[in-house]
Amino acid sequence: MSATRTFLLEVGCEEIPAGMLPGALVDLRARLLAALGDKEGLGGSAEEPPQFGGPRRLVACITGVRDREDDRVALVSGPPTGAAYDKAGGPTKAAIGFAKAQGVSVEQLEKVRGEKGEVVAVRRRIAGREASAVLAEACPRILSEMRFPKMMRWGDRGHCFVRPIHWIVALLDHEVVEFEFMGVRSGRATSGHRFLSPGPHEVPHASRYEEIVRERGKVIARNADRRERIRQARDRAAAAMGWRAREDEDLLNELTFLNECPGVVTGSFDRAYLDLPAPVIVTAMRHHQKYFPAEGSGGGLAPGFVAVINLPEDPEGLIRRGNEWVLKARLADARFFWTEDRKRKLADRVEDLARLSFHEKLGSYLARTQRLVDLASTLAATIGLDGTAQDRVRIAARLAKCDLLTGMVGEFPELQGIMGGIYAREEGIPIEAARAIEEHYLPISPEGPVPKTPEGAVLALADKLDLMTGCFAAGLIPKGSADPYGLRRAAHGVTRIMLSPALAGSSGRVSLKGAVEKSLALYEAQGIGPAARERVREDLLEFLSQRLRFLMEEGRMRFDTARAILAAGFDDVADAWRRGAALTELRTAASEEDFLALAASAKRIRNILAQARDKGLATDGPIAAGLLRDKEEKDLHGAVGRVREGLERQVAAGDYVSALRSIASLRPQVDRFFDKVLVMAPEEDLRRNRLALLSGLSQLLSRVADFSEIVVEGEASERRA
């Protein structure tokens, strides 16, 4: 067995946006491992942890790389045997020519069976390549294939990359793996901290990379170390001031990839600014300046912050004073907008929304507000909110977008909705309506909080459905990874809201199809409806089903369980989820066999019915009891009748576990039917009757889940579309 080595690849760039780095590091490591291969390849495993990287460097460290690939034997196919040998079995010119081209004698040719029949072939030994040669060939290709949310092109080079490249380190143990990318030659010289120790610094061995960049370059290359260093320094600095830094994992992760040698400074601001709403102060610090807000012993905001800097310390306090000055200016602006915005009520701004464009194809924000009022009112009535709650929903829908016209939201766009709710409270608008305004953008991330109030949930649903319907009607549908209008996030939000506790206790359920139909009708009433309404509706419902399927799989439902549930219907999202949970519960080792057998039968039934329809045969209609001749078809007909009667009660009560058990109980009768009964009988009346029996059985099997979507052993597993 050959010795194993460590491969280090570092691509030094100008500052890479922090949000792009985690995914890029994973991508780079995965591509390198794929290039190295396994078994007869070079093997290797990513060192995780540690994981290196930073704002100026993409790094992958692969351990366990073998010196060279295994030798392998390749089978080279030649002409068909019929062309390679004559009738007497002697070689023809085709065989002789093939053998000569491969450098072997005719006697060394083999006969093998391929996709196109029997051919002659020769086995050739291919020597394994050195690891350095494989990597030298792979690295430029891998780097050229990497993709980022935003790419740059510079100079006269043909490639794009995330940022201009300044250096490349590529070491297999102590050996430089030589290649060129974007005009930069690989070597062993890295760069250190831009100010503390820029370098260059030579790395003698791949295993010493972290040591060299830390000791000589003053850079903490390990991501986990930078993150923990920031956390500890932040907490110590806040405690020294008598504060507690507000926890913010997203900000902590971002700062980890913004700094190479992080330190912290504390700063303060005039206590008088604490009269501003807390979200305003936090936004000024967190979103605009990347500060951790400080909290006092009582949990409220303190007049201070902790800032992370790309230096170990700030001995003269210059950085601290600069940060304080910037924050003071931000808060002074916020105070001005807070005072000015409240001179005019939200309701007085509604008509001004006509001057604010929602989208050139979808009208103004005033038109959108009018649609939101109607759609939210319909949804509120659908879920059974009382008259007072419906009035609160209408108030919230009418005022939801008015804060877009305020100076505060103009300065701090992150406060959309939040400021609307705060201003609504200041004006004495019912607290439930104000809360709905605050919540109507939720959730703003896949794992983010959903609205907690029924009014907020209804308005958030209306807001997202109106956005999606309008965009689909205008042809603004996501393509590939591009989703400029956030429609995938909106669809994910719709499904999560429909499953949220805020709607769980409602007396009514939202129909997805009905909601989309209503939204389309509201656009049409304003003269901006789609030309192909049916296609838009079906496309949007399919888009929503994909998000629900993703959510189900994230919720540990098997992929084929999710598909089976959605194929049986998902108009009521909460009901579909309950059906999925029931099927997941019953697909245990003890009962899996019955379900898989029924799944196989369901596929067989679907195929039989489809073939019959293709031949123009009727598959629906009443079943004539007098035409049930065989015992097995009589037994199946009786069992289907008994199960159907109880199944309807179980489904109506939402007892899907019992309903699925009832369906599973049909397995013996279904098995015996297919063993003994000829469905496509030559007699027309018998054939029609048996097809009708199977059609009724198919409908019954799909009452809770479409069993034909369940994957049985031996089938190819289509994981995700």
Side-chain angles (χ1 to χ4, degrees):
M1 179 180 289
S2 61
T4 60
R5 308 170 74 180
T6 297
F7 176 63
L8 170 75
L9 177 64
E10 179 193 54
V11 182
C13 308
E14 293 179 12
E15 275 76 1
I16 303 170
M20 298 184 189
L21 272 167
L25 294 173
V26 171
D27 184 35
L28 177 60
R29 184 175 65 239
R31 290 177 184 271
L32 277 171
L33 287 171
L36 291 170
D38 54 13
K39 295 182 180 178
E40 72 276 2
L42 297 170
S45 60
E47 195 175 356
E48 185 184 8
Q51 184 178 13
F52 305 121
R56 298 172 60 226
R57 61 199 76 226
L58 293 168
V59 186
C61 184
I62 311 295
T63 60
V65 179
R66 295 193 292 167
D67 281 334
R68 59 179 294 125
E69 298 173 317
D70 288 341
D71 295 345
R72 58 190 178 90
V73 176
L75 186 69
V76 182
S77 297
T81 54
Y85 299 100
D86 57 27
K87 293 182 179 179
T92 65
K93 289 183 178 180
I96 295 170
F98 174 67
K100 183 177 180 180
Q102 299 302 320
V104 299
S105 65
V106 174
E107 289 74 19
Q108 290 176 282
L109 297 181
E110 302 179 30
K111 297 179 181 180
V112 298
R113 182 160 297 281
E115 293 181 0
K116 297 182 179 180
E118 191 177 58
V119 298
V120 294
V122 61
R123 298 184 187 274
R124 299 189 60 185
R125 180 180 175 276
I126 299 176
R129 295 175 295 168
E130 297 287 339
S132 57
V134 174
L135 290 165
E137 177 187 307
C139 287
R141 172 179 53 80
I142 286 170
L143 294 175
S144 67
E145 291 174 352
M146 289 186 69
R147 292 294 177 264
F148 301 84
K150 291 186 179 180
M151 307 278 282
M152 288 183 64
R153 188 188 301 274
W154 65 96
D156 58 357
R157 303 281 173 180
H159 293 299
C160 289
F161 205 62
V162 61
R163 288 293 185 271
I165 296 173
H166 291 290
W167 77 88
I168 298 174
V169 176
L171 294 176
L172 186 61
D173 283 350
H174 63 277
E175 174 189 355
V176 173
V177 176
E178 296 187 1
F179 64 89
E180 180 180 321
F181 180 66
M182 302 291 284
V184 179
R185 295 291 305 177
S186 60
R188 63 174 70 252
T190 185
S191 292
H193 192 283
R194 189 184 293 278
F195 308 118
L196 299 176
S197 183
H201 308 286
E202 289 204 349
V203 182
H205 194 283
S207 63
R208 294 189 61 195
Y209 169 74
E210 183 178 11
E211 170 199 343
I212 296 298
V213 295
R214 180 189 289 269
E215 299 301 326
R216 299 182 189 174
K218 308 304 179 187
V219 169
I220 301 172
R222 196 184 299 233
N223 302 327
D225 285 357
R226 292 199 308 280
R227 191 176 191 276
E228 189 57 27
R229 177 168 171 158
I230 292 172
R231 183 194 295 277
Q232 292 183 10
R234 176 200 67 185
D235 293 346
R236 285 196 304 268
M241 300 295 294
W243 306 329
R244 184 180 68 84
R246 178 172 288 191
E247 291 290 342
D248 190 330
E249 291 298 309
D250 290 339
L251 179 58
L252 181 59
N253 291 333
E254 183 178 4
L255 290 166
T256 297
F257 288 102
L258 279 174
N259 299 278
E260 293 190 310
C261 184
V264 302
V265 296
T266 57
S268 60
F269 57 87
D270 190 335
R271 182 175 290 274
Y273 285 118
L274 292 177
D275 291 340
L276 290 169
V280 174
I281 301 172
V282 170
T283 298
M285 288 191 278
R286 191 252 187 257
H287 290 281
H288 290 254
Q289 304 304 129
K290 314 297 184 191
Y291 302 160
F292 288 100
E295 297 177 343
S297 57
L301 287 178
F305 61 87
V306 180
V308 177
I309 62 176
N310 197 25
L311 291 168
E313 55 185 358
D314 176 31
E316 298 181 8
L318 296 177
I319 300 175
R320 173 184 58 80
R321 288 195 291 273
N323 279 286
E324 289 178 338
W325 182 86
V326 171
L327 181 59
K328 178 182 178 182
R330 289 278 186 189
L331 294 179
D333 288 345
R335 172 174 283 172
F336 171 78
F337 293 129
W338 174 244
T339 301
E340 290 299 308
D341 288 345
R342 289 183 296 161
K343 292 179 180 178
R344 192 176 182 207
K345 292 186 176 182
L346 290 175
D348 296 334
R349 301 176 187 269
V350 173
E351 295 304 317
D352 292 344
L353 290 170
R355 303 198 303 267
L356 190 63
S357 175
F358 173 44
H359 188 278
E360 60 182 2
K361 296 182 179 181
L362 303 176
S364 68
Y365 266 95
L366 179 59
R368 187 170 193 221
T369 294
Q370 292 165 348
R371 295 193 301 270
L372 284 181
V373 172
D374 284 348
L375 183 55
S377 297
T378 299
L379 295 176
T382 299
I383 69 169
L385 293 185
D386 62 29
T388 302
Q390 291 183 40
D391 288 341
R392 294 194 294 258
V393 168
R394 280 188 284 270
I395 292 171
R398 184 167 179 268
L399 303 179
K401 303 301 178 182
C402 290
D403 66 354
L404 296 175
L405 299 171
T406 64
M408 188 73 82
V409 170
E411 181 70 11
F412 302 102
E414 301 86 359
L415 292 175
Q416 294 177 45
I418 295 173
M419 288 312 303
I422 291 173
Y423 288 138
R425 284 188 176 89
E426 288 283 315
E427 295 172 13
I429 288 172
I431 189 68
E432 296 87 354
R435 182 73 178 274
I437 295 172
E438 287 182 352
E439 293 182 333
H440 86 278
Y441 285 108
L442 300 179
I444 58 176
S445 66
E447 287 79 35
V450 295
K452 294 182 179 179
T453 65
E455 293 89 345
V458 164
L459 184 54
L461 276 178
D463 183 66
K464 290 165 179 58
L465 286 168
D466 179 80
L467 170 67
M468 288 188 293
T469 303
C471 287
F472 268 72
L476 307 173
I477 302 173
K479 296 179 180 178
S481 61
D483 187 11
Y485 302 102
L487 301 188
R488 292 189 182 95
R489 182 175 66 246
H492 195 73
V494 166
T495 55
R496 286 190 61 207
I497 292 168
M498 287 186 165
L499 296 170
S500 68
L503 298 183
S506 303
S507 59
R509 290 292 174 188
V510 174
S511 160
L512 267 185
K513 182 178 179 180
V516 170
E517 286 279 12
K518 176 66 176 179
S519 186
L520 281 167
L522 291 172
Y523 272 102
E524 289 176 343
Q526 293 179 344
I528 49 179
R533 176 172 176 172
E534 292 298 318
R535 179 186 58 78
V536 170
R537 184 192 67 195
E538 295 308 313
D539 287 350
L540 181 49
L541 289 173
E542 173 61 22
F543 185 74
L544 285 163
S545 78
Q546 292 173 4
R547 294 297 97 190
L548 179 55
R549 174 181 165 184
F550 173 80
L551 200 62
M552 285 178 159
E553 293 181 23
E554 286 289 297
R556 300 186 182 278
M557 295 185 196
R558 288 173 48 161
F559 77 100
D560 56 339
T561 290
R563 291 197 315 193
I565 293 299
L566 297 179
F570 60 93
D571 193 48
D572 183 339
V573 172
D575 182 73
W577 188 274
R578 288 195 300 272
R579 288 186 281 119
L583 184 53
T584 298
E585 178 182 338
L586 290 182
R587 287 189 70 176
T588 60
S591 56
E592 180 81 356
E593 184 181 350
D594 286 342
F595 284 106
L596 293 182
L598 280 175
S601 297
K603 295 174 195 292
R604 186 174 180 181
I605 293 168
R606 181 179 61 182
N607 292 335
I608 291 172
L609 295 175
Q611 291 169 7
R613 294 186 190 105
D614 289 343
K615 295 177 180 179
L617 301 177
T619 59
D620 297 320
I623 299 170
L627 292 175
L628 298 172
R629 296 185 178 179
D630 296 337
K631 179 180 184 301
E632 290 77 14
E633 61 182 326
K634 293 177 182 178
D635 289 345
L636 179 60
H637 177 58
V640 167
R642 290 191 299 274
V643 167
R644 179 180 287 114
E645 183 179 348
L647 185 68
E648 293 305 322
R649 292 194 301 270
Q650 292 160 345
V651 168
D655 185 3
Y656 294 120
V657 171
S658 296
L660 287 167
R661 285 185 177 134
S662 296
I663 292 172
S665 71
L666 289 171
R667 180 195 171 182
Q669 290 86 357
V670 173
D671 287 349
R672 287 195 294 270
F673 176 85
F674 279 121
D675 285 343
K676 301 294 185 180
V677 178
L678 177 63
V679 177
M680 302 301 287
E683 299 89 346
E684 181 181 351
D685 55 349
L686 288 182
R687 183 175 63 243
R688 184 174 59 249
N689 207 50
R690 288 169 182 173
L691 287 172
L693 176 60
L694 288 186
S695 180
L697 176 58
S698 178
Q699 294 172 13
L700 188 69
L701 291 177
S702 300
R703 191 65 179 86
V704 177
D706 185 346
F707 276 75
S708 66
E709 293 289 345
I710 300 295
V711 173
V712 298
E713 186 177 355
E715 290 185 331
S717 299
E718 300 175 40
R719 281 286 167 183
R720 288 182 172 85

